[in-house]
Amino acid sequence: MSEIVSRVHSLTAAAAGALPCADEITALTDAAQLALLGELSALRREVDTAISLVASDIERKSARELGPESLARRAGVRSGAELVQRLTGSSLTDARKAVRVGGLLETAASVSPAEETDAPAEPRSIEALAALGGPWSAPIAVTVRNGWLPAEHADRITSGLGVPRDDASTPAYRQAVLRLIADCWDGELTPEDAARNAKATRAVLDREWATQNAQRLYEQRSLKRTVRSDGMVKYDLLVDPATDAQIWTPIRRHLAPRLGGPRFLTDEERARAEELQQDARTNEQLLADTFTAFLTAGITSSGVFGKHTPTVTIAVTTSELKKAITADAARRNSPPHDGPPGQPPGAASGTSTHRPPATPPPEDGIAWLDGTPHPLTGAQLITSLCDGSAAAALLDETGQTLDATKAERTFSTRQRRAMAIRDGGCLIPGCPMPPDATEAHHLNPWNERPQNRKTETKDGICLCRFHHLNLHNQGGHIERRGNTYWLHWPGREPTRLLPKHSLTTQLRTQGTIS
């Protein structure tokens, strides 16, 4: 073991014995705890400095040009940063930061050798930094080495500024570094503040980069939709700052009192603020509801879809609709409670003042959205129909749509929608195609008899393009027996085609259809 390693090993053992335990910390006064945290932070900075110097040297010995002699390659990893990550147990991001900080410390040693331990401490000043030689980043390096600036701040500034595009812009970068360091000293900036200021400075110094970066951010925009196993749907929306301003500004303005914004001045605004404060929904729920409301309003009023504004279709039977209407009336006629709007009874005082009614509430209805096994409550159905965000497709208790027939050979849009709701997608077993990816297949060939020239919803089913063509090409056909459909395939026994919509599952569960 080398002398340095042995010395640090002894230091580690001594530190472990000197560090306080939880009971000792809780017994300290507030002032003593603050002083202890300061001392521990100073100790950590010294250790982090040494780690950074080692990390930087490991990275240099792991250069790709060294090939098989690379230290990282001999250790079985791709880079020096990955080797540092393995040895320190840190994240790869922290390991790379250690390498960068180590590089800064090496730069500091080259432009301004460290003072002897018995020499007076060098005064912290922008003038001293401005007098340094070396590269444009030398002032940052020296502030870290001298303890004038935390390594985290220095790394954020360096990363945010990037590098000068050419020699002509180097003096401007040097002046920007001095200003950013002074801002950190004068304003006690956080690392996040320092990074933001550095990025803004880079945009001013390098307009070409600013343009390219704005375009790069814009091109990364995306929206991902994931359906979880519990039925909840997650939207992962990634937008550039300009788009975010368009989305977030009206939402923040609308929910300002709940998001830490101003309470406003007018009586109306004060009342709105008080209502938001008393709303029982969490901030996350309020944000979700507000975002949905804005999006729905934009769809219905913007005219971007012309006359064909997309409408959500909800499938419901006549009996379930009646239940939903009855339950809604019962809710509207129930005695009012003492809490604010949207808050359950008794929530304002912390005790329940709500007493159960003398008679149980009527059974609520259920309805179904396309492609999901999770039902809507009657209340959700009534709300959706009231605000015009959805259209109801009404079915009887046998699963057939009401008022959806048309005396034409071609299925109408309304009939296609009814078929999609009834079938829930391509009816061929095992086919995952949803309703909007299917075609309407006529069960009764046009040329068999005149009666077939009348198109009715019950005589059509949903098939995807592949299975539709395959059925015609391979000689198969589909037969309707009452309210059930059967696939006849040459050489096989008939197979019943089971609808995939959740409303049909409800009716089969209730026994109203087989």
Side-chain angles (χ1 to χ4, degrees), residues 367-510:
W368 306 90
L369 291 169
D370 286 342
T372 172
H374 303 280
L376 297 178
T377 65
Q380 289 174 317
L381 169 65
I382 296 297
T383 300
S384 298
L385 297 179
C386 180
D387 65 15
S389 62
L394 196 61
L395 291 85
D396 63 22
E397 300 307 308
T398 68
Q400 291 298 327
T401 55
L402 301 175
D403 301 324
T405 60
K406 192 174 181 67
E408 296 176 1
R409 179 60 182 174
T410 303
F411 289 109
S412 67
T413 301
R414 187 177 183 185
Q415 288 175 307
R416 288 288 309 272
R417 187 174 67 186
M419 290 163 54
I421 291 171
R422 181 197 62 202
D423 297 342
C426 179
L427 275 189
I428 299 300
C431 183
M433 289 298 179
D436 57 4
T438 61
E439 302 175 345
H441 168 67
H442 290 86
L443 305 182
N444 45 356
W446 172 270
N447 58 355
E448 279 190 357
R449 54 184 186 270
Q451 293 88 329
N452 288 0
R453 297 176 187 176
K454 180 180 180 182
T455 300
E456 295 188 88
T457 308
K458 63 183 179 182
D459 291 323
I461 66 167
C462 292
L463 296 178
C464 69
R465 179 69 174 170
F466 169 79
H467 285 122
H468 196 182
L469 291 174
N470 198 48
L471 186 75
H472 288 291
N473 292 335
Q474 301 299 327
H477 72 278
I478 296 174
E479 173 192 15
R480 178 172 64 85
R481 303 177 186 173
N483 293 318
T484 63
Y485 299 89
W486 296 78
L487 171 64
H488 292 263
W489 202 256
R492 300 181 186 176
E493 292 294 322
T495 301
R496 181 177 175 180
L497 302 179
L498 294 175
K500 300 173 181 178
H501 199 286
S502 301
L503 184 138
T504 307
T505 303
Q506 172 197 342
L507 296 176
R508 296 184 68 207
T509 302
Q510 294 174 343

Side-chain angles (χ1 to χ4, degrees), residues 335 355-361:
R355 293 179 174 80
T359 58

Side-chain angles (χ1 to χ4, degrees), residues 268-342:
E268 182 179 352
E269 289 171 332
R270 289 194 191 94
R272 169 64 181 158
E274 181 64 22
E275 181 180 341
L276 275 175
Q277 293 294 346
Q278 297 297 332
D279 197 304
R281 290 173 291 179
T282 65
N283 281 357
E284 289 76 12
Q285 291 170 336
L286 278 169
L287 285 169
D289 292 346
T290 302
F291 182 83
T292 303
F294 284 1
L295 180 63
T296 303
I299 291 174
T300 56
S301 63
S302 66
V304 69
F305 295 98
K307 296 181 179 180
H308 305 287
T309 300
T311 304
V312 176
T313 303
I314 301 176
V316 63
T317 64
T318 53
S319 61
E320 294 296 334
L321 180 59
K322 290 177 181 178
K323 291 178 183 177
I325 294 174
T326 301
D328 181 65
R331 285 190 295 269
R332 286 187 283 109
N333 294 327
S334 61
H337 61 77
D338 58 353

